[in-house]
Amino acid sequence: MQNKNVKHMFKVAVLCIAISLLSFFAGAAVVSKPFYAISKGDDKNVAAVVDGQTDLQHLKPVVDVIKLIEDKYVKDVETEKLIEGAIKGVVESLGDPYSVYMNETEFQDFIASINGSFSGVGMVLSADESTGDIIVVSPIEGTPAQKAGILPKDIIVKVDDIELAGKSLDEAVKLLRGEKGTKVVVYIKRQDNEDLLEFELMRDDIRVTTIKHEIIDDDVGYIKITSFDSQTYDEFKAAVDSLQKQGIKGLILDLRNNPGGSLYESVRIADEILGKGIIVYTEDRNKNKLEEYYSDNNRISLPLVVLINENSASASEIVAGAIQDHKAGVLVGTKTFGKGSVQEIEPFQDGTGMKLTIARYYLPSGRSIDGIGVEPDIKVELSKDISPFDIPRKKDSQLLKALDIVKSPTYMQRQER
């Protein structure tokens, strides 16, 4: 796969995984820059950072406030805590749920999460930009949240005795995470239920296996990708190799309820499917292209159907949208989530870090799906009484439609595109 203008420091995507992956992600790159913050043990000289920087004199009111608190507040307060609060306030003022400043502990937890392992209850979360509600995108299969019966679109109102009104997505995540074996009580508001639902969950160590595969209907390969982490591409390659050795004649790629993850891993998978051409590119606020990802000539030469739904977001939308634009497969299901912003991960010298929305990504046709989503080629809705997260195979109308398409005589003959 060719890469142009790609930051190679550390490719991750920051799009959605709370508890597990902390929030929705799209492509993110980790870079390192100097950061004007007080390091541990440096509490006494608050103004020194600004005083020596003539271009930062407009920050003097912040320093004045901190010094006033230090001098006159009724209780002693650590300067480091004040500065952390000031920084978080600046980031929160953006009104962007995907941009957040993290202290050292939070940042270490975040990096562990995007690598696919964490300790918590196992939910993919998002924040409603208009109401601030903390919403369950989907529980992760096999985790305490899923086993307890928490469902997509549930709203988390309270964690233990702490109300989430006014809390950020990452603050909610921090409350829900914890050591294996500890308990947390989650209060849920569910559609059509007047009373809050109460769930007592036991936190656990969770390693997300992002790929599942099998052969269905005799000769059709089925691969489900639940999210994209640092191991997803390798898992995908192993699944494809296994299925091809068993003589599959078509492939169904299930991206339903996939909240995204590593942009880098998602474009590597797209590279296996598309053939030569552009996969995705990103643009900053000035319409400058930051990154472009290309695929080479090599590809999986099988009829392909891709399943998508309203919970398919970010990196999964890139894969689905690129396949659609290249006419490399047929998209079946419902319109995707519409998360098309790009976050950059900034590790700072004092161990803290930040993720900041810096761009939007664009599909090969030049379209942005941010706030819009990807429309399926063939719209198929599930019955209203079926949860999109727990679909009985025999009642999975979307999968059944995909099977009809991929096994149709004309489509099965498409070994070359």
Side-chain angles (χ1 to χ4, degrees):
M1 178 175 60
Q2 296 175 333
N3 247 333
K4 179 182 178 182
N5 275 345
V6 179
K7 294 178 182 176
H8 292 289
M9 302 270 315
F10 183 0
K11 284 288 172 187
V12 295
V14 194
L15 222 207
C16 167
I17 293 191
I19 318 308
S20 58
L21 304 177
L22 288 175
S23 65
F24 270 110
F25 348 52
V30 173
V31 298
S32 183
K33 296 179 181 178
F35 182 63
Y36 299 107
I38 302 297
S39 300
K40 291 182 178 179
D42 226 358
D43 293 351
K44 296 182 180 179
N45 258 326
V46 190
V49 174
V50 174
D51 287 348
Q53 305 290 329
T54 57
D55 59 335
L56 296 180
Q57 286 301 314
H58 56 284
L59 295 182
K60 189 173 184 302
V62 178
V63 176
D64 289 343
V65 169
I66 292 175
K67 284 193 63 65
L68 183 63
I69 292 172
E70 286 179 323
D71 294 342
K72 295 189 175 181
Y73 185 60
V74 69
K75 294 187 294 184
D76 287 336
V77 181
E78 293 181 1
T79 299
E80 185 182 83
K81 184 176 180 180
L82 296 175
I83 293 174
E84 180 181 321
I87 296 169
K88 287 191 173 186
V90 168
V91 178
E92 288 171 4
S93 72
L94 298 174
D96 176 9
Y98 307 119
S99 295
V100 65
Y101 172 79
M102 293 164 275
N103 63 33
E104 187 172 1
T105 300
E106 292 166 340
F107 190 61
Q108 289 174 352
D109 288 345
F110 174 75
I111 295 300
S113 294
I114 58 178
N115 284 330
S117 60
F118 53 91
S119 180
V121 296
M123 288 187 285
V124 177
L125 300 184
S126 182
D128 187 303
E129 294 187 23
S130 59
T131 65
D133 289 339
I134 305 299
I135 302 170
V136 178
V137 176
S138 66
I140 298 169
E141 189 171 349
T143 63
Q146 191 264 334
K147 291 176 181 177
I150 291 176
L151 300 175
K153 299 183 181 178
D154 281 348
I155 297 173
I156 302 179
V157 176
K158 187 167 68 169
V159 177
D160 289 329
D161 59 348
I162 300 176
E163 300 281 347
L164 293 192
K167 300 288 185 183
S168 69
L169 183 60
D170 288 276
E171 286 173 322
V173 169
K174 187 175 180 180
L175 292 170
L176 287 161
R177 294 183 60 129
E179 293 184 6
K180 176 181 178 179
T182 58
K183 291 183 179 180
V184 61
V185 180
V186 179
Y187 296 87
I188 295 287
K189 179 181 179 182
R190 183 172 293 169
Q191 191 175 7
D192 301 328
N193 281 270
E194 293 184 5
D195 298 327
L196 291 182
L197 303 178
E198 180 179 334
F199 296 88
E200 184 177 89
L201 306 176
M202 183 77 73
R203 297 182 179 99
D204 200 356
D205 289 336
I206 298 168
R207 165 68 185 106
V208 179
T209 301
T210 59
I211 298 284
K212 296 180 180 180
H213 72 281
E214 61 179 298
I215 291 180
I216 57 178
D217 209 18
D218 298 328
D219 55 7
V220 176
Y222 171 84
I223 298 178
K224 182 174 180 62
I225 307 180
T226 58
S227 63
F228 296 90
D229 68 20
S230 60
Q231 300 179 50
T232 302
Y233 172 75
D234 290 337
E235 293 176 1
F236 177 80
K237 279 286 290 177
V240 170
D241 290 345
S242 173
L243 291 171
Q244 287 185 317
K245 286 177 181 177
Q246 298 176 70
I248 60 170
K249 296 180 179 179
L251 181 63
I252 295 174
L253 181 62
D254 193 345
L255 298 178
R256 293 176 296 180
N257 304 317
N258 182 323
S262 169
L263 173 65
Y264 185 57
E265 295 293 296
S266 71
V267 296
R268 292 179 76 193
I269 288 173
D271 180 26
E272 296 291 323
I273 297 170
L274 297 180
K276 188 173 183 179
I278 190 165
I279 301 171
V280 66
Y281 63 93
T282 65
E283 287 185 354
D284 65 15
R285 64 186 179 190
N286 297 316
K287 300 297 181 180
N288 297 314
K289 285 188 178 180
L290 300 181
E291 299 172 343
E292 295 174 286
Y293 294 87
Y294 291 86
S295 59
D296 57 26
N297 284 313
N298 299 320
R299 58 178 173 78
I300 300 168
S301 185
L302 287 167
L304 174 68
V305 176
V306 182
L307 295 175
I308 55 174
N309 68 2
E310 62 275 12
N311 298 322
S312 305
S314 193
S316 61
E317 292 176 284
I318 291 174
V319 175
I323 289 170
Q324 187 178 59
D325 282 359
H326 281 267
K327 302 187 186 305
V330 177
L331 272 54
V332 172
T334 55
K335 187 173 72 171
T336 62
F337 185 86
K339 169 62 169 69
S341 60
V342 182
Q343 283 72 43
E344 184 176 79
I345 308 303
E346 299 268 0
F348 298 132
Q349 293 174 349
D350 61 353
T352 63
M354 180 176 171
K355 58 185 175 75
L356 179 69
T357 300
I358 61 163
R360 288 185 172 86
Y361 62 72
Y362 294 83
L363 296 175
S365 61
R367 57 180 168 148
S368 169
I369 53 87
D370 197 34
I372 301 169
V374 176
E375 292 280 359
D377 297 308
I378 300 175
K379 184 176 181 180
V380 179
E381 295 182 340
L382 296 172
S383 297
K384 293 183 179 180
D385 60 338
I386 296 176
S387 165
F389 187 76
D390 185 19
I391 310 171
R393 180 63 60 88
K394 292 182 179 180
K395 295 184 178 181
D396 192 342
S397 55
Q398 295 167 337
L399 179 59
L400 293 174
K401 183 64 176 178
L403 275 169
D404 287 343
I405 295 169
V406 82
K407 295 204 74 170
S408 65
T410 54
Y411 201 40
M412 289 293 284
Q413 292 171 6
R414 291 180 60 195
Q415 297 303 310
E416 297 292 337
R417 291 186 288 271

